[in-house]
Amino acid sequence: MKELTLQEELTKGFWHQNPLFVAVLGNCPALAVTTTITNGLAMGAAVIMVMMCSNIIISLIRKQVPKEVRIPCYIVVIAAFVTIVELLMKAYLPPEINESLGIFIPLIVVNCIIMYRAEVFASQYSVLRSAIDGIGMGMGFTVALVIISAIREAAGCGTILGIRISETYQPASIMIMAPGAFLVLGLLLAFFNYRKLSRGEKV
Amino acid sequence: MEIGLGNLFTIIISVVFVNNFVLARFLGLCPFLGVTQKTESAMGMGMAVTFVMTLASAVTWFIYNYLLLPGEHNLFGVLFPTIKETGMIDVLKTISYILVIATLVQLVETVMRKTSPALYEGLGIYLPLITTNCAVLGVALLGTTNAPARLSLLEASVQGFAAGIGFLIAMLLMSGIRERLAVLNVPRSFQGVPIAFISTALMALAFMGFSGMVSW
């Protein structure tokens, strides 16, 4: 595999290697918190922060950690940063957002994306590259969350970022409940597959 | 809260049907999509998760009540008196719970290999995957820090067991559907994960029929 430039390292997660749409990782928070765009953005910011910090530390300790116990070590590093981010969010974000993200902030610990990047990237590459990879992948996840939450908020509440889009539209509240979440992600994944197929790529 | 059979029954109905972990709370979606191609593997994973969830709920209940909550009975308080007033919920809950779950999974694996090789053969390969299953950490959090009311040890364990059963039911239903889907003529762009998500949406819609049955 050829060496990517730092800029490519940052942007690869946005689209071509998007952790949610291409790798289908981290579904649980992606479906649970995407009822409004604000929630999606808050979750995305938390994931970017955790992923950047944990990638830096894991990259720093990658030569010291024995292979057999690397997973528990990574989990402890990630859990520490999740705790920091959780306390920061409690301190600086409005209580409604903390309320609606609920248990999904501590559950960032077991988000597969973070473990996946730690295992395939941060444990092999330099600190700078790992930090950039963490930020890029986190931003790709955020992009995906914003797309899903924009669709769900527009269809389910009739609003975008809290502003009404049309006076006559009757919101279908099923879209902000559980079935709507599964439906939107399923249709989005099928849409990306369709685009790939029509360009003659493999799914 | 008084512990009665009725109360426990409410918890069971609520966690298995009304607030099913997979279909209403979005927990444990990775194994739900990853290990439901075959009914046998869905069964194995569901059983292993139920087992670990029950144990994890009980153990994290002890940690929460005797190490994290502020108060006279905090065991850290014996060494550091300030902890009796502040408690350590905010700082230590995530790290302690995930370590407990990881240790528990390892322990279960070791014990099972020695005592019942047959069960180990069946569940063995799924056990390591459970550490990073968000449903297990989720049930630990919902039984302690994020519970709607302070739970007793029995209630927390029953909730853990029921959550596992709910997960098992969702896994079995999904694997049944996917075994049928595998032989059907699904449009190419929908094959695999997309159609699985859309089937899940319909299952979630069906499970919404249970809402309002109990309030928990």
PDB file of all heavy atoms in Angstrom, chain A residues 28 31-32 75 83 86 90 103-104 107 109-110 112 174 177-179 185 193 197, chain B residues 23 25-27 29-30 90-91 93-94 98 134 146 188-189 197 201 205 208:
ATOM      1  N   CYS A  28     -24.624   1.437  16.881  1.00  0.00           N
ATOM      2  CA  CYS A  28     -25.511   1.687  18.024  1.00  0.00           C
ATOM      3  C   CYS A  28     -25.674   3.176  18.293  1.00  0.00           C
ATOM      4  O   CYS A  28     -26.793   3.674  18.276  1.00  0.00           O
ATOM      5  CB  CYS A  28     -25.016   0.956  19.265  1.00  0.00           C
ATOM      6  SG  CYS A  28     -24.714  -0.770  18.961  1.00  0.00           S
ATOM      7  N   LEU A  31     -27.524   5.200  15.483  1.00  0.00           N
ATOM      8  CA  LEU A  31     -28.975   5.139  15.377  1.00  0.00           C
ATOM      9  C   LEU A  31     -29.657   5.743  16.595  1.00  0.00           C
ATOM     10  O   LEU A  31     -30.713   6.352  16.488  1.00  0.00           O
ATOM     11  CB  LEU A  31     -29.423   3.695  15.197  1.00  0.00           C
ATOM     12  CG  LEU A  31     -28.957   3.075  13.895  1.00  0.00           C
ATOM     13  CD1 LEU A  31     -29.330   1.617  13.841  1.00  0.00           C
ATOM     14  CD2 LEU A  31     -29.562   3.800  12.727  1.00  0.00           C
ATOM     15  N   ALA A  32     -29.033   5.596  17.752  1.00  0.00           N
ATOM     16  CA  ALA A  32     -29.726   5.998  18.973  1.00  0.00           C
ATOM     17  C   ALA A  32     -29.762   7.495  19.167  1.00  0.00           C
ATOM     18  O   ALA A  32     -30.749   8.023  19.659  1.00  0.00           O
ATOM     19  CB  ALA A  32     -29.078   5.335  20.179  1.00  0.00           C
ATOM     20  N   ILE A  75      -8.453  -0.613  25.858  1.00  0.00           N
ATOM     21  CA  ILE A  75      -9.764  -0.305  26.446  1.00  0.00           C
ATOM     22  C   ILE A  75      -9.608   0.650  27.623  1.00  0.00           C
ATOM     23  O   ILE A  75     -10.376   1.596  27.774  1.00  0.00           O
ATOM     24  CB  ILE A  75     -10.491  -1.602  26.870  1.00  0.00           C
ATOM     25  CG1 ILE A  75     -10.970  -2.346  25.629  1.00  0.00           C
ATOM     26  CG2 ILE A  75     -11.676  -1.290  27.750  1.00  0.00           C
ATOM     27  CD1 ILE A  75     -11.793  -3.560  25.914  1.00  0.00           C
ATOM     28  N   THR A  83     -14.189   9.081  29.965  1.00  0.00           N
ATOM     29  CA  THR A  83     -14.567   9.715  31.235  1.00  0.00           C
ATOM     30  C   THR A  83     -14.283  11.209  31.192  1.00  0.00           C
ATOM     31  O   THR A  83     -15.116  12.027  31.608  1.00  0.00           O
ATOM     32  CB  THR A  83     -13.797   9.052  32.387  1.00  0.00           C
ATOM     33  OG1 THR A  83     -13.975   7.650  32.299  1.00  0.00           O
ATOM     34  CG2 THR A  83     -14.294   9.543  33.716  1.00  0.00           C
ATOM     35  N   GLU A  86     -16.834  12.863  29.013  1.00  0.00           N
ATOM     36  CA  GLU A  86     -18.145  12.874  29.649  1.00  0.00           C
ATOM     37  C   GLU A  86     -18.240  14.001  30.678  1.00  0.00           C
ATOM     38  O   GLU A  86     -19.225  14.741  30.727  1.00  0.00           O
ATOM     39  CB  GLU A  86     -18.405  11.516  30.319  1.00  0.00           C
ATOM     40  CG  GLU A  86     -19.836  11.354  30.773  1.00  0.00           C
ATOM     41  CD  GLU A  86     -20.062  10.067  31.541  1.00  0.00           C
ATOM     42  OE1 GLU A  86     -19.120   9.257  31.651  1.00  0.00           O
ATOM     43  OE2 GLU A  86     -21.182   9.888  32.033  1.00  0.00           O
ATOM     44  N   LYS A  90     -20.666  17.299  30.537  1.00  0.00           N
ATOM     45  CA  LYS A  90     -21.578  17.643  31.635  1.00  0.00           C
ATOM     46  C   LYS A  90     -21.359  19.085  32.074  1.00  0.00           C
ATOM     47  O   LYS A  90     -22.289  19.783  32.453  1.00  0.00           O
ATOM     48  CB  LYS A  90     -21.334  16.708  32.825  1.00  0.00           C
ATOM     49  CG  LYS A  90     -22.261  15.525  32.829  1.00  0.00           C
ATOM     50  CD  LYS A  90     -22.259  14.860  34.177  1.00  0.00           C
ATOM     51  CE  LYS A  90     -22.938  13.517  34.093  1.00  0.00           C
ATOM     52  NZ  LYS A  90     -22.254  12.516  34.900  1.00  0.00           N
ATOM     53  N   ILE A 103     -26.888   7.232  28.118  1.00  0.00           N
ATOM     54  CA  ILE A 103     -25.853   6.229  28.336  1.00  0.00           C
ATOM     55  C   ILE A 103     -24.938   6.096  27.124  1.00  0.00           C
ATOM     56  O   ILE A 103     -23.949   5.384  27.185  1.00  0.00           O
ATOM     57  CB  ILE A 103     -26.421   4.846  28.688  1.00  0.00           C
ATOM     58  CG1 ILE A 103     -27.281   4.299  27.570  1.00  0.00           C
ATOM     59  CG2 ILE A 103     -27.173   4.881  29.978  1.00  0.00           C
ATOM     60  CD1 ILE A 103     -27.572   2.821  27.743  1.00  0.00           C
ATOM     61  N   PHE A 104     -25.243   6.766  26.018  1.00  0.00           N
ATOM     62  CA  PHE A 104     -24.397   6.573  24.843  1.00  0.00           C
ATOM     63  C   PHE A 104     -23.071   7.311  24.929  1.00  0.00           C
ATOM     64  O   PHE A 104     -22.177   7.040  24.140  1.00  0.00           O
ATOM     65  CB  PHE A 104     -25.171   6.906  23.565  1.00  0.00           C
ATOM     66  CG  PHE A 104     -26.140   5.821  23.241  1.00  0.00           C
ATOM     67  CD1 PHE A 104     -27.444   5.871  23.673  1.00  0.00           C
ATOM     68  CD2 PHE A 104     -25.714   4.694  22.577  1.00  0.00           C
ATOM     69  CE1 PHE A 104     -28.318   4.833  23.436  1.00  0.00           C
ATOM     70  CE2 PHE A 104     -26.584   3.646  22.329  1.00  0.00           C
ATOM     71  CZ  PHE A 104     -27.889   3.721  22.752  1.00  0.00           C
ATOM     72  N   LEU A 107     -20.952   4.752  26.621  1.00  0.00           N
ATOM     73  CA  LEU A 107     -20.859   3.615  25.700  1.00  0.00           C
ATOM     74  C   LEU A 107     -19.901   3.870  24.538  1.00  0.00           C
ATOM     75  O   LEU A 107     -19.651   2.967  23.746  1.00  0.00           O
ATOM     76  CB  LEU A 107     -22.238   3.250  25.147  1.00  0.00           C
ATOM     77  CG  LEU A 107     -23.148   2.488  26.105  1.00  0.00           C
ATOM     78  CD1 LEU A 107     -24.460   2.168  25.452  1.00  0.00           C
ATOM     79  CD2 LEU A 107     -22.492   1.219  26.593  1.00  0.00           C
ATOM     80  N   VAL A 109     -16.934   3.938  24.876  1.00  0.00           N
ATOM     81  CA  VAL A 109     -15.850   2.991  25.176  1.00  0.00           C
ATOM     82  C   VAL A 109     -15.914   1.761  24.272  1.00  0.00           C
ATOM     83  O   VAL A 109     -14.886   1.277  23.793  1.00  0.00           O
ATOM     84  CB  VAL A 109     -15.942   2.515  26.643  1.00  0.00           C
ATOM     85  CG1 VAL A 109     -14.833   1.547  26.957  1.00  0.00           C
ATOM     86  CG2 VAL A 109     -15.906   3.670  27.581  1.00  0.00           C
ATOM     87  N   VAL A 110     -17.122   1.248  24.072  1.00  0.00           N
ATOM     88  CA  VAL A 110     -17.247   0.023  23.282  1.00  0.00           C
ATOM     89  C   VAL A 110     -17.662   0.306  21.847  1.00  0.00           C
ATOM     90  O   VAL A 110     -18.100  -0.598  21.139  1.00  0.00           O
ATOM     91  CB  VAL A 110     -18.227  -0.973  23.943  1.00  0.00           C
ATOM     92  CG1 VAL A 110     -17.577  -1.651  25.108  1.00  0.00           C
ATOM     93  CG2 VAL A 110     -19.499  -0.291  24.362  1.00  0.00           C
ATOM     94  N   CYS A 112     -17.141   0.324  18.224  1.00  0.00           N
ATOM     95  CA  CYS A 112     -16.180  -0.485  17.452  1.00  0.00           C
ATOM     96  C   CYS A 112     -15.209   0.381  16.645  1.00  0.00           C
ATOM     97  O   CYS A 112     -14.084  -0.021  16.410  1.00  0.00           O
ATOM     98  CB  CYS A 112     -16.887  -1.421  16.485  1.00  0.00           C
ATOM     99  SG  CYS A 112     -18.494  -1.931  16.962  1.00  0.00           S
ATOM    100  N   ILE A 174     -42.826   8.624  13.386  1.00  0.00           N
ATOM    101  CA  ILE A 174     -42.181   7.305  13.369  1.00  0.00           C
ATOM    102  C   ILE A 174     -40.696   7.444  13.034  1.00  0.00           C
ATOM    103  O   ILE A 174     -39.869   6.657  13.464  1.00  0.00           O
ATOM    104  CB  ILE A 174     -42.902   6.377  12.354  1.00  0.00           C
ATOM    105  CG1 ILE A 174     -42.453   4.931  12.492  1.00  0.00           C
ATOM    106  CG2 ILE A 174     -42.680   6.801  10.924  1.00  0.00           C
ATOM    107  CD1 ILE A 174     -43.100   4.213  13.605  1.00  0.00           C
ATOM    108  N   MET A 177     -38.537   7.718  15.944  1.00  0.00           N
ATOM    109  CA  MET A 177     -38.565   6.554  16.833  1.00  0.00           C
ATOM    110  C   MET A 177     -37.691   5.438  16.253  1.00  0.00           C
ATOM    111  O   MET A 177     -37.114   5.594  15.176  1.00  0.00           O
ATOM    112  CB  MET A 177     -40.000   6.087  17.009  1.00  0.00           C
ATOM    113  CG  MET A 177     -40.818   7.075  17.818  1.00  0.00           C
ATOM    114  SD  MET A 177     -42.386   6.380  18.271  1.00  0.00           S
ATOM    115  CE  MET A 177     -43.486   7.282  17.258  1.00  0.00           C
ATOM    116  N   ALA A 178     -37.621   4.311  16.959  1.00  0.00           N
ATOM    117  CA  ALA A 178     -36.670   3.260  16.591  1.00  0.00           C
ATOM    118  C   ALA A 178     -36.809   2.763  15.145  1.00  0.00           C
ATOM    119  O   ALA A 178     -35.805   2.691  14.432  1.00  0.00           O
ATOM    120  CB  ALA A 178     -36.787   2.108  17.584  1.00  0.00           C
ATOM    121  N   PRO A 179     -38.026   2.434  14.644  1.00  0.00           N
ATOM    122  CA  PRO A 179     -38.087   1.877  13.281  1.00  0.00           C
ATOM    123  C   PRO A 179     -37.543   2.831  12.233  1.00  0.00           C
ATOM    124  O   PRO A 179     -36.854   2.404  11.301  1.00  0.00           O
ATOM    125  CB  PRO A 179     -39.584   1.647  13.070  1.00  0.00           C
ATOM    126  CG  PRO A 179     -40.163   1.561  14.421  1.00  0.00           C
ATOM    127  CD  PRO A 179     -39.351   2.457  15.278  1.00  0.00           C
ATOM    128  N   LEU A 185     -31.055   4.210   7.911  1.00  0.00           N
ATOM    129  CA  LEU A 185     -29.706   3.675   7.676  1.00  0.00           C
ATOM    130  C   LEU A 185     -29.730   2.597   6.592  1.00  0.00           C
ATOM    131  O   LEU A 185     -28.851   2.557   5.730  1.00  0.00           O
ATOM    132  CB  LEU A 185     -29.108   3.136   8.981  1.00  0.00           C
ATOM    133  CG  LEU A 185     -27.662   2.685   8.880  1.00  0.00           C
ATOM    134  CD1 LEU A 185     -26.779   3.794   8.318  1.00  0.00           C
ATOM    135  CD2 LEU A 185     -27.121   2.264  10.222  1.00  0.00           C
ATOM    136  N   ASN A 193     -24.670   1.545  -2.084  1.00  0.00           N
ATOM    137  CA  ASN A 193     -24.410   0.343  -2.881  1.00  0.00           C
ATOM    138  C   ASN A 193     -24.848   0.546  -4.320  1.00  0.00           C
ATOM    139  O   ASN A 193     -24.159   0.154  -5.261  1.00  0.00           O
ATOM    140  CB  ASN A 193     -25.186  -0.855  -2.311  1.00  0.00           C
ATOM    141  CG  ASN A 193     -24.466  -1.477  -1.146  1.00  0.00           C
ATOM    142  OD1 ASN A 193     -23.318  -1.151  -0.882  1.00  0.00           O
ATOM    143  ND2 ASN A 193     -25.144  -2.356  -0.437  1.00  0.00           N
ATOM    144  N   LEU A 197     -22.615   0.230  -7.611  1.00  0.00           N
ATOM    145  CA  LEU A 197     -22.938  -0.740  -8.658  1.00  0.00           C
ATOM    146  C   LEU A 197     -23.080  -0.059 -10.003  1.00  0.00           C
ATOM    147  O   LEU A 197     -22.603  -0.561 -11.023  1.00  0.00           O
ATOM    148  CB  LEU A 197     -24.240  -1.469  -8.319  1.00  0.00           C
ATOM    149  CG  LEU A 197     -24.156  -2.545  -7.250  1.00  0.00           C
ATOM    150  CD1 LEU A 197     -25.558  -3.012  -6.882  1.00  0.00           C
ATOM    151  CD2 LEU A 197     -23.322  -3.713  -7.730  1.00  0.00           C
TER     152      LEU A 197
ATOM    153  N   LEU B  23     -34.084  -3.737  19.653  1.00  0.00           N
ATOM    154  CA  LEU B  23     -35.062  -3.123  18.758  1.00  0.00           C
ATOM    155  C   LEU B  23     -35.589  -1.787  19.248  1.00  0.00           C
ATOM    156  O   LEU B  23     -36.129  -1.021  18.462  1.00  0.00           O
ATOM    157  CB  LEU B  23     -36.223  -4.087  18.533  1.00  0.00           C
ATOM    158  CG  LEU B  23     -35.802  -5.393  17.870  1.00  0.00           C
ATOM    159  CD1 LEU B  23     -36.929  -6.391  17.911  1.00  0.00           C
ATOM    160  CD2 LEU B  23     -35.374  -5.154  16.446  1.00  0.00           C
ATOM    161  N   ARG B  25     -33.747   0.038  22.036  1.00  0.00           N
ATOM    162  CA  ARG B  25     -32.699   0.845  22.658  1.00  0.00           C
ATOM    163  C   ARG B  25     -31.430   0.893  21.828  1.00  0.00           C
ATOM    164  O   ARG B  25     -30.459   1.526  22.222  1.00  0.00           O
ATOM    165  CB  ARG B  25     -32.360   0.285  24.041  1.00  0.00           C
ATOM    166  CG  ARG B  25     -33.367   0.665  25.081  1.00  0.00           C
ATOM    167  CD  ARG B  25     -32.769   0.498  26.457  1.00  0.00           C
ATOM    168  NE  ARG B  25     -33.620   1.051  27.481  1.00  0.00           N
ATOM    169  CZ  ARG B  25     -34.073   0.363  28.515  1.00  0.00           C
ATOM    170  NH1 ARG B  25     -33.748  -0.907  28.638  1.00  0.00           N
ATOM    171  NH2 ARG B  25     -34.824   0.935  29.406  1.00  0.00           N
ATOM    172  N   PHE B  26     -31.391   0.232  20.693  1.00  0.00           N
ATOM    173  CA  PHE B  26     -30.223   0.241  19.795  1.00  0.00           C
ATOM    174  C   PHE B  26     -28.955  -0.237  20.479  1.00  0.00           C
ATOM    175  O   PHE B  26     -27.890   0.341  20.283  1.00  0.00           O
ATOM    176  CB  PHE B  26     -29.953   1.641  19.235  1.00  0.00           C
ATOM    177  CG  PHE B  26     -31.123   2.290  18.610  1.00  0.00           C
ATOM    178  CD1 PHE B  26     -31.788   3.310  19.260  1.00  0.00           C
ATOM    179  CD2 PHE B  26     -31.549   1.905  17.360  1.00  0.00           C
ATOM    180  CE1 PHE B  26     -32.864   3.928  18.678  1.00  0.00           C
ATOM    181  CE2 PHE B  26     -32.614   2.534  16.762  1.00  0.00           C
ATOM    182  CZ  PHE B  26     -33.271   3.537  17.428  1.00  0.00           C
ATOM    183  N   LEU B  27     -29.034  -1.241  21.340  1.00  0.00           N
ATOM    184  CA  LEU B  27     -27.811  -1.746  21.970  1.00  0.00           C
ATOM    185  C   LEU B  27     -27.496  -3.115  21.388  1.00  0.00           C
ATOM    186  O   LEU B  27     -28.386  -3.912  21.141  1.00  0.00           O
ATOM    187  CB  LEU B  27     -27.994  -1.850  23.486  1.00  0.00           C
ATOM    188  CG  LEU B  27     -28.124  -0.506  24.201  1.00  0.00           C
ATOM    189  CD1 LEU B  27     -28.568  -0.706  25.628  1.00  0.00           C
ATOM    190  CD2 LEU B  27     -26.812   0.235  24.172  1.00  0.00           C
ATOM    191  N   LEU B  29     -26.006  -3.856  18.416  1.00  0.00           N
ATOM    192  CA  LEU B  29     -26.310  -4.035  16.992  1.00  0.00           C
ATOM    193  C   LEU B  29     -25.209  -4.772  16.236  1.00  0.00           C
ATOM    194  O   LEU B  29     -25.481  -5.429  15.239  1.00  0.00           O
ATOM    195  CB  LEU B  29     -26.559  -2.676  16.331  1.00  0.00           C
ATOM    196  CG  LEU B  29     -27.880  -2.024  16.673  1.00  0.00           C
ATOM    197  CD1 LEU B  29     -27.949  -0.644  16.058  1.00  0.00           C
ATOM    198  CD2 LEU B  29     -29.020  -2.857  16.162  1.00  0.00           C
ATOM    199  N   CYS B  30     -23.954  -4.655  16.711  1.00  0.00           N
ATOM    200  CA  CYS B  30     -22.862  -5.319  15.972  1.00  0.00           C
ATOM    201  C   CYS B  30     -23.045  -6.835  15.927  1.00  0.00           C
ATOM    202  O   CYS B  30     -23.076  -7.405  14.846  1.00  0.00           O
ATOM    203  CB  CYS B  30     -21.506  -4.941  16.542  1.00  0.00           C
ATOM    204  SG  CYS B  30     -21.155  -3.191  16.385  1.00  0.00           S
ATOM    205  N   ASP B  90     -18.799   9.564  38.915  1.00  0.00           N
ATOM    206  CA  ASP B  90     -18.446  10.251  37.673  1.00  0.00           C
ATOM    207  C   ASP B  90     -17.103   9.790  37.138  1.00  0.00           C
ATOM    208  O   ASP B  90     -16.928   9.634  35.941  1.00  0.00           O
ATOM    209  CB  ASP B  90     -18.382  11.765  37.925  1.00  0.00           C
ATOM    210  CG  ASP B  90     -19.768  12.333  38.105  1.00  0.00           C
ATOM    211  OD1 ASP B  90     -20.707  11.658  37.673  1.00  0.00           O
ATOM    212  OD2 ASP B  90     -19.887  13.419  38.682  1.00  0.00           O
ATOM    213  N   VAL B  91     -16.145   9.588  38.030  1.00  0.00           N
ATOM    214  CA  VAL B  91     -14.772   9.370  37.588  1.00  0.00           C
ATOM    215  C   VAL B  91     -14.517   7.914  37.229  1.00  0.00           C
ATOM    216  O   VAL B  91     -13.826   7.618  36.263  1.00  0.00           O
ATOM    217  CB  VAL B  91     -13.794   9.818  38.694  1.00  0.00           C
ATOM    218  CG1 VAL B  91     -12.392   9.871  38.147  1.00  0.00           C
ATOM    219  CG2 VAL B  91     -14.195  11.160  39.241  1.00  0.00           C
ATOM    220  N   LYS B  93     -16.905   5.131  36.988  1.00  0.00           N
ATOM    221  CA  LYS B  93     -17.900   4.136  36.570  1.00  0.00           C
ATOM    222  C   LYS B  93     -17.530   3.455  35.248  1.00  0.00           C
ATOM    223  O   LYS B  93     -17.541   2.231  35.156  1.00  0.00           O
ATOM    224  CB  LYS B  93     -19.300   4.737  36.527  1.00  0.00           C
ATOM    225  CG  LYS B  93     -19.521   5.713  35.408  1.00  0.00           C
ATOM    226  CD  LYS B  93     -20.996   5.940  35.147  1.00  0.00           C
ATOM    227  CE  LYS B  93     -21.128   6.712  33.864  1.00  0.00           C
ATOM    228  NZ  LYS B  93     -21.765   7.990  33.953  1.00  0.00           N
ATOM    229  N   THR B  94     -17.143   4.249  34.238  1.00  0.00           N
ATOM    230  CA  THR B  94     -16.886   3.642  32.929  1.00  0.00           C
ATOM    231  C   THR B  94     -15.712   2.670  33.004  1.00  0.00           C
ATOM    232  O   THR B  94     -15.808   1.528  32.553  1.00  0.00           O
ATOM    233  CB  THR B  94     -16.583   4.739  31.893  1.00  0.00           C
ATOM    234  OG1 THR B  94     -17.509   5.788  32.071  1.00  0.00           O
ATOM    235  CG2 THR B  94     -16.667   4.202  30.507  1.00  0.00           C
ATOM    236  N   ILE B  98     -16.068  -1.483  32.605  1.00  0.00           N
ATOM    237  CA  ILE B  98     -15.524  -2.178  31.439  1.00  0.00           C
ATOM    238  C   ILE B  98     -14.465  -3.191  31.880  1.00  0.00           C
ATOM    239  O   ILE B  98     -14.365  -4.288  31.323  1.00  0.00           O
ATOM    240  CB  ILE B  98     -14.990  -1.176  30.382  1.00  0.00           C
ATOM    241  CG1 ILE B  98     -14.757  -1.868  29.046  1.00  0.00           C
ATOM    242  CG2 ILE B  98     -13.707  -0.516  30.789  1.00  0.00           C
ATOM    243  CD1 ILE B  98     -15.989  -2.192  28.302  1.00  0.00           C
ATOM    244  N   CYS B 134     -21.904  -3.564  23.193  1.00  0.00           N
ATOM    245  CA  CYS B 134     -22.357  -2.436  24.005  1.00  0.00           C
ATOM    246  C   CYS B 134     -23.585  -2.784  24.825  1.00  0.00           C
ATOM    247  O   CYS B 134     -23.896  -2.108  25.787  1.00  0.00           O
ATOM    248  CB  CYS B 134     -22.570  -1.187  23.178  1.00  0.00           C
ATOM    249  SG  CYS B 134     -23.681  -1.371  21.806  1.00  0.00           S
ATOM    250  N   ASN B 146     -27.675   4.606  35.631  1.00  0.00           N
ATOM    251  CA  ASN B 146     -28.730   5.180  34.810  1.00  0.00           C
ATOM    252  C   ASN B 146     -30.087   4.521  35.037  1.00  0.00           C
ATOM    253  O   ASN B 146     -30.963   4.613  34.195  1.00  0.00           O
ATOM    254  CB  ASN B 146     -28.359   5.081  33.326  1.00  0.00           C
ATOM    255  CG  ASN B 146     -27.189   5.958  32.984  1.00  0.00           C
ATOM    256  OD1 ASN B 146     -26.091   5.745  33.480  1.00  0.00           O
ATOM    257  ND2 ASN B 146     -27.395   6.956  32.172  1.00  0.00           N
ATOM    258  N   ARG B 188     -29.911  -6.140  -6.061  1.00  0.00           N
ATOM    259  CA  ARG B 188     -28.482  -6.243  -5.735  1.00  0.00           C
ATOM    260  C   ARG B 188     -28.002  -5.181  -4.749  1.00  0.00           C
ATOM    261  O   ARG B 188     -27.192  -5.457  -3.879  1.00  0.00           O
ATOM    262  CB  ARG B 188     -27.646  -6.181  -7.025  1.00  0.00           C
ATOM    263  CG  ARG B 188     -27.477  -7.543  -7.647  1.00  0.00           C
ATOM    264  CD  ARG B 188     -26.363  -7.537  -8.664  1.00  0.00           C
ATOM    265  NE  ARG B 188     -25.057  -7.439  -8.044  1.00  0.00           N
ATOM    266  CZ  ARG B 188     -23.958  -7.169  -8.728  1.00  0.00           C
ATOM    267  NH1 ARG B 188     -24.010  -6.942 -10.015  1.00  0.00           N
ATOM    268  NH2 ARG B 188     -22.793  -7.113  -8.119  1.00  0.00           N
ATOM    269  N   SER B 189     -28.517  -3.960  -4.908  1.00  0.00           N
ATOM    270  CA  SER B 189     -28.014  -2.912  -4.017  1.00  0.00           C
ATOM    271  C   SER B 189     -28.530  -3.081  -2.588  1.00  0.00           C
ATOM    272  O   SER B 189     -28.000  -2.487  -1.663  1.00  0.00           O
ATOM    273  CB  SER B 189     -28.373  -1.541  -4.555  1.00  0.00           C
ATOM    274  OG  SER B 189     -29.723  -1.513  -4.930  1.00  0.00           O
ATOM    275  N   PHE B 197     -31.137  -4.222   7.722  1.00  0.00           N
ATOM    276  CA  PHE B 197     -31.590  -3.049   8.472  1.00  0.00           C
ATOM    277  C   PHE B 197     -33.069  -2.790   8.228  1.00  0.00           C
ATOM    278  O   PHE B 197     -33.812  -2.426   9.146  1.00  0.00           O
ATOM    279  CB  PHE B 197     -30.784  -1.808   8.072  1.00  0.00           C
ATOM    280  CG  PHE B 197     -29.611  -1.567   8.958  1.00  0.00           C
ATOM    281  CD1 PHE B 197     -28.323  -1.570   8.452  1.00  0.00           C
ATOM    282  CD2 PHE B 197     -29.782  -1.333  10.314  1.00  0.00           C
ATOM    283  CE1 PHE B 197     -27.240  -1.351   9.270  1.00  0.00           C
ATOM    284  CE2 PHE B 197     -28.707  -1.108  11.141  1.00  0.00           C
ATOM    285  CZ  PHE B 197     -27.429  -1.123  10.616  1.00  0.00           C
ATOM    286  N   ALA B 201     -36.120  -2.686  10.822  1.00  0.00           N
ATOM    287  CA  ALA B 201     -37.077  -1.591  10.991  1.00  0.00           C
ATOM    288  C   ALA B 201     -38.491  -2.145  11.149  1.00  0.00           C
ATOM    289  O   ALA B 201     -39.244  -1.696  12.015  1.00  0.00           O
ATOM    290  CB  ALA B 201     -37.006  -0.650   9.789  1.00  0.00           C
ATOM    291  N   LEU B 205     -40.923  -1.936  14.365  1.00  0.00           N
ATOM    292  CA  LEU B 205     -42.292  -1.432  14.245  1.00  0.00           C
ATOM    293  C   LEU B 205     -43.257  -2.380  14.952  1.00  0.00           C
ATOM    294  O   LEU B 205     -44.144  -1.957  15.688  1.00  0.00           O
ATOM    295  CB  LEU B 205     -42.638  -1.329  12.758  1.00  0.00           C
ATOM    296  CG  LEU B 205     -43.797  -0.453  12.360  1.00  0.00           C
ATOM    297  CD1 LEU B 205     -43.538   0.963  12.794  1.00  0.00           C
ATOM    298  CD2 LEU B 205     -43.995  -0.511  10.864  1.00  0.00           C
ATOM    299  N   MET B 208     -43.049  -2.074  18.629  1.00  0.00           N
ATOM    300  CA  MET B 208     -43.652  -0.856  19.178  1.00  0.00           C
ATOM    301  C   MET B 208     -45.073  -1.107  19.644  1.00  0.00           C
ATOM    302  O   MET B 208     -45.607  -0.345  20.447  1.00  0.00           O
ATOM    303  CB  MET B 208     -43.641   0.258  18.128  1.00  0.00           C
ATOM    304  CG  MET B 208     -42.379   1.071  18.140  1.00  0.00           C
ATOM    305  SD  MET B 208     -42.445   2.324  16.876  1.00  0.00           S
ATOM    306  CE  MET B 208     -43.704   3.390  17.558  1.00  0.00           C
TER     307      MET B 208
END
